[in-house]
Amino acid sequence: MTYTTRKSGLLTRRHALTLGTGAAAAAMLGAPVIVRAQSGPVKIGHLTPMTGFLGTLGGWAVEGASLAVEEINAGGGAGGRMLELMSEDSINPENGATKAQRMLEQDGADFLLGEISSATALAISEVAARNEKLFMAVGPRSDVLRGERCSRTMFCTDIPNTAMVNAVGTALKQQDDIAGKKFFTLTADYVFGHDLLSAAKAFFDRNDAELIGDELIATDVTDFSPFILKLRQANPDYVCLNLAGNQVTNFVKQYAEFGLPYPMIGFNLNTADAWAAGAGNLSGTWPTVWLHTLDTPESKAFVERFQAKYGKLPENHSWISYIAVQIMAKAIAETGSAATPDLIDYLESGAKFDVMKSRPAHFRAEDHQLIQEAYAFTVKDDGSYEDVHDMLELSATVPGAEEALESIYPSTEGGACKLSL
Amino acid sequence: MQLFFLLEQVVNGLVLGGYYLLIALGLSLIFSVGGIVNLAHGAFYALGAYAFVTLSGTFGFFGGVLVSPIVVALLGIAFERFILRRFYREDPILSLLVTFGLALVAEQAIRMIWGSAPLAASLPRELRGSVILGPLLFSKYRLMMLAVIAVLLAGVWVLLNRTSFGRVVRAGIQDPDMVAALGIRLQPYMTTVVMLGVGLAALGGAMFAPITTVHPAMGAEILTIAFVVVVIGGLGSFWGVVCAALLVGVVRGVTVFFVPAASEASMYALMLVVLLLRPRGLLGETIRKFES
């Protein structure tokens, strides 16, 4: 950059002409590449955080997506076309957007897939919309991605914040009458946390529970002791966590260290954060989109295949990334195309997808949310398990078998999401 | 009640400051003696935590806390002998590049050996819980850590100020050529100083592993704070670093009390103010060899 600036005085008209011709030639060279790409492999631009406070989750996502691609290619590809996964660290919203643009423009990605951070997903979604390419937002959970900031080119696979709050809320109400109970929330200070907090507030209001304190916590905070002291001063009935990534692990470990008596619940947890917390530190009821103990034949088989390849249990981000790639492969096979308009039409058609759960999933056409079952899980008592991987126990499938799948998702009626824009 | 609560945050901040001190002290020592800004220092903190998690499986919690810093300090010897030693008299930019590169290599090595997923580590049950003193609440484990840090600190101070070893090191900080002229080889002293600094950082990692996320980038996370502490304290000053670490801890604790959202920013604001008023830091000394 500085180089060109310094030399700009020397840029003569002839140079400019040469540059222009070069650009034109490059454009012409580019044309046949695009033609060839239609029969060549389908390129997936996969972005997910591998550094920063969500960085520990990204590795799981890459492993899940890679396993899916490997299996699909071994089985002859998606409708006969091989998949090529280009995985990169999205880092943060600015870098994520820049890399998304580069993947679409220079690397020839047919569509984008991935992400865990809601903030980065919003940035990538804008790039996808501008380029009229599909973005399968795999891991972000903010309601706004399905609401005010939804996009015709974006589809969301993970359960949104409202569904997570509903999943835990349903389980919590079965254990305890929460009317009149005092909750103190700790919230990750970015779009995801804010959004989760408003879903939590709506839940408290509906059930006459009282929110007696709320702290917004920067994502890079690693020492929670000042907040734990504040908690004790507030003396709540429940400590309620709306934290994300490493924040959860850090808080949970330090909360156990101080040994405060208030029971903990949370509206967001990834299995990896729970495992990282270690034995005896985590307690309470939490939501999840999937857990490796899920008792269906498809899910058990997936866990086995994952373990065979990586020698460890899959995490929920591995699962959701695997599912997202499988969904895209099915869409490509069914439509015989990797072009965004065809894929959008297909995904909006209400096509059913096997997501290894007791009921199949489908995308809701109004807000592009994948409608699927969610779960609550509880943590077994300290000392009743040998290994952290046995620490979590699925407690409830939400919604129950007799209720409509959509009942736990935010309503789209009069909703903020306007896909035509 | 509010006053007690503020006091509680101040004491809690002191404990946190003690933890910053473990990392910052080594950083300051290595810079003072060798003139090297060790960007790989955070990596030793991370290695300390990882070694603790690995070793505590065999040696138990206390064994892990004890053995992990020793193992990492031995690595520190190799680090000084084979890498740092070549850069004492070179342009500082070279050592900056080398240690920065080494920090990246160490982080990736951790990923390759232990994987990128965080490792689980827990406190033994008997160390959990709080000490309640009237209206004040303190974590039992942190009070123990503070005691350990205080003892170590006293030890390092005695070593630097009351032993012949310390006299040579302090002379070496000011004028290595004069030390050489007196017929004393500074190299073994340097090795010891680096070993000590690295060992302290690893001890910080080991002691904090049960109460923080053990992940490959944890070294990079702590290094920024350690640098802020060293800069505020002033280079070459033992007590400067001590004051700065405690000050940063307390300022953070108090900021959380009044403006929670500004707690991370508070230490940078503190650094700005200190540097505006005292460009050498709180107790920064003139180091003759860096003045030319």
Side-chain angles (χ1 to χ4, degrees):
Chain A
M1 212 47 158
T2 43
Y3 183 77
T4 28
T5 323
R6 236 185 295 129
K7 296 271 175 180
S8 63
L10 299 174
L11 188 71
T12 62
R13 190 164 167 273
R14 181 177 298 180
H15 280 110
L17 279 174
T18 321
L19 277 175
T21 322
M28 266 151 51
L29 280 173
V33 175
I34 292 164
V35 174
R36 203 174 55 231
Q38 307 227 312
S39 53
V42 176
K43 289 188 174 177
I44 307 174
H46 183 221
L47 286 163
T48 200
M50 299 182 200
T51 48
F53 75 109
L54 297 170
T56 50
L57 299 173
W60 294 100
V62 173
E63 284 164 349
S66 309
L67 179 64
V69 166
E70 194 181 291
E71 288 178 9
I72 291 160
N73 287 345
R81 290 177 67 183
M82 293 294 128
L83 300 183
E84 189 185 321
L85 190 70
M86 307 182 286
S87 293
E88 280 190 45
D89 183 357
S90 56
I91 308 174
N92 56 31
E94 296 75 35
N95 278 291
T98 310
K99 288 189 173 187
Q101 183 69 35
R102 196 205 62 221
M103 281 176 156
L104 291 176
E105 231 170 39
Q106 292 173 21
D107 306 343
D110 290 282
F111 58 86
L112 300 169
L113 179 142
E115 202 44 58
I116 294 171
S117 156
S118 297
T120 311
L122 282 172
I124 295 176
S125 171
E126 280 172 15
V127 173
R130 251 200 327 269
N131 290 274
E132 289 169 13
K133 292 282 187 196
L134 187 131
F135 169 41
M136 182 61 75
V138 176
R141 295 174 184 155
S142 256
D143 285 336
V144 291
L145 278 90
R146 295 83 169 160
E148 300 95 80
R149 305 288 298 274
C150 72
S151 157
R152 210 177 61 81
T153 47
M154 175 168 63
F155 288 78
C156 298
T157 52
D158 213 326
I159 46 175
N161 284 342
T162 296
M164 292 199 295
V165 170
N166 287 337
V168 171
T170 308
L172 193 62
K173 282 195 285 187
Q174 285 165 6
Q175 298 159 14
D176 189 8
D177 179 19
I178 62 166
K181 290 281 159 65
K182 292 180 289 181
F183 287 78
F184 193 109
T185 56
L186 298 171
T187 301
D189 196 3
Y190 74 113
V191 57
F192 162 78
H194 302 166
D195 192 310
L196 189 55
L197 179 62
S198 38
K201 280 180 176 162
F203 171 77
F204 296 144
D205 283 345
R206 263 202 318 281
N207 294 285
D208 296 320
E210 197 187 343
L211 180 64
I212 58 163
D214 175 51
E215 295 285 337
L216 286 177
I217 298 174
T219 53
D220 50 359
V221 165
T222 52
D223 179 64
F224 284 83
S225 56
F227 300 103
I228 292 172
L229 295 178
K230 280 197 157 187
L231 269 177
R232 179 193 174 240
Q233 200 194 27
N235 197 24
D237 292 311
Y238 283 100
V239 178
C240 175
L241 301 192
N242 300 322
L243 300 175
N246 287 350
Q247 284 186 320
V248 184
T249 313
N250 281 324
F251 175 82
V252 160
K253 279 181 156 184
Q254 289 163 25
Y255 191 67
E257 176 207 343
F258 277 82
L260 293 190
Y262 322 115
M264 179 163 44
I265 63 156
F267 292 134
N268 177 50
L269 184 74
N270 292 295
T271 326
D273 304 332
W275 289 336
N281 289 329
L282 190 69
S283 61
T285 304
W286 304 79
T288 189
V289 65
W290 179 85
L291 191 65
H292 62 91
T293 58
L294 181 65
D295 196 13
T296 66
E298 298 84 5
S299 177
K300 285 176 161 172
F302 164 71
V303 173
E304 266 174 39
R305 293 199 302 278
F306 190 93
Q307 274 186 305
K309 181 164 164 67
Y310 299 109
K312 60 183 181 186
L313 285 168
E315 203 261 357
N316 52 282
H317 281 290
S318 309
W319 174 84
I320 195 100
S321 300
Y322 179 90
I323 287 294
V325 173
Q326 289 286 3
I327 287 174
M328 291 312 295
K330 188 176 176 196
I332 295 164
E334 296 281 323
T335 58
S337 161
T340 293
D342 300 333
L343 294 172
I344 292 179
D345 284 346
Y346 175 76
L347 295 174
E348 280 186 344
S349 70
K352 299 269 190 245
F353 300 101
D354 173 16
V355 293
M356 310 176 187
K357 298 182 175 178
S358 57
R359 289 194 255 181
H362 68 276
F363 281 100
R364 195 156 63 173
E366 295 88 346
D367 64 352
H368 288 182
Q369 168 63 43
L370 186 69
I371 302 297
Q372 58 173 320
E373 289 170 314
Y375 308 90
F377 65 82
T378 51
V379 184
K380 295 177 193 170
D381 291 334
D382 188 16
S384 69
Y385 51 87
E386 293 277 302
D387 184 87
V388 282
H389 298 100
D390 302 326
M391 172 170 78
L392 313 175
E393 195 165 34
L394 279 181
S395 59
T397 303
V398 276
E402 68 289 345
E403 283 173 272
L405 269 185
E406 283 202 29
S407 62
I408 57 164
Y409 289 85
S411 163
T412 54
E413 270 171 48
C417 169
K418 294 184 179 56
L419 288 173
S420 51
L421 293 177
Chain B
M1 188 62 200
Q2 288 291 322
L3 187 69
F4 280 125
F5 187 56
L6 187 60
L7 186 68
E8 197 173 57
Q9 293 287 12
V10 169
V11 177
N12 188 55
L14 284 178
V15 181
L16 197 62
Y19 151 65
Y20 296 154
L21 185 57
L22 278 183
I23 294 112
L25 194 60
L27 204 59
S28 172
L29 274 176
I30 293 172
F31 179 81
S32 307
V33 185
I36 282 177
V37 176
N38 182 18
L39 291 175
H41 209 64
F44 291 106
Y45 163 78
L47 281 172
Y50 273 88
F52 162 78
V53 174
T54 309
L55 294 167
S56 60
T58 323
F59 299 101
F61 175 83
F62 292 102
V65 169
L66 216 64
V67 179
S68 150
I70 297 174
V71 172
V72 178
L74 293 177
L75 263 179
I77 296 181
F79 168 61
E80 198 277 335
R81 288 247 161 151
F82 298 112
I83 299 172
L84 277 195
R85 180 163 292 187
R86 297 163 197 276
F87 296 97
Y88 295 142
R89 289 183 180 258
E90 299 290 334
D91 188 335
I93 195 75
L94 290 178
S95 59
L96 215 59
L97 279 173
V98 164
T99 54
F100 180 68
L102 206 69
L104 297 179
V105 169
E107 192 177 318
Q108 284 308 318
I110 287 175
R111 270 180 232 277
M112 286 162 76
I113 299 170
W114 286 281
S116 60
L119 296 190
S122 306
L123 275 183
R125 269 182 211 102
E126 58 274 16
L127 294 183
R128 289 184 208 162
S130 303
V131 177
I132 297 170
L133 291 172
L136 306 180
L137 176 94
F138 306 108
S139 145
K140 215 187 332 177
Y141 182 65
R142 284 182 203 220
L143 287 182
M144 284 174 44
M145 269 198 317
L146 193 59
V148 171
I149 292 167
V151 169
L152 279 173
L153 201 61
V156 172
W157 186 83
V158 168
L159 184 70
L160 287 178
N161 292 285
R162 292 284 180 269
T163 62
S164 57
F165 170 86
R167 272 193 290 281
V168 175
V169 170
R170 280 181 297 132
I173 290 175
Q174 290 300 335
D175 198 339
D177 294 331
M178 186 54 83
V179 176
L182 292 170
I184 301 170
R185 271 182 73 234
L186 259 181
Q187 303 242 303
Y189 290 89
M190 244 344 267
T191 311
T192 317
V193 164
V194 172
M195 186 191 80
L196 193 69
V198 162
L200 287 176
L203 180 70
M207 291 204 297
F208 252 68
I211 57 171
T212 193
T213 310
V214 181
H215 64 114
M218 67 189 294
E221 222 169 61
I222 189 70
L223 192 66
T224 320
I225 302 179
F227 267 114
V228 169
V229 166
V230 172
V231 170
I232 291 178
L235 289 164
S237 165
F238 178 84
W239 291 113
V241 176
V242 174
C243 293
L246 299 181
L247 194 62
V248 167
V250 170
V251 164
R252 279 204 48 186
V254 174
T255 315
V256 164
F257 181 74
F258 292 108
V259 207
S263 70
E264 289 296 289
S266 62
M267 62 177 185
Y268 300 107
L270 178 70
M271 179 164 83
L272 184 73
V273 172
V274 168
L275 289 187
L276 281 175
L277 298 177
R278 297 184 65 90
R280 281 185 195 279
L282 288 178
L283 299 172
E285 288 165 15
T286 313
I287 295 180
R288 223 179 301 155
K289 71 181 174 204
F290 300 144
E291 293 297 313
S292 52

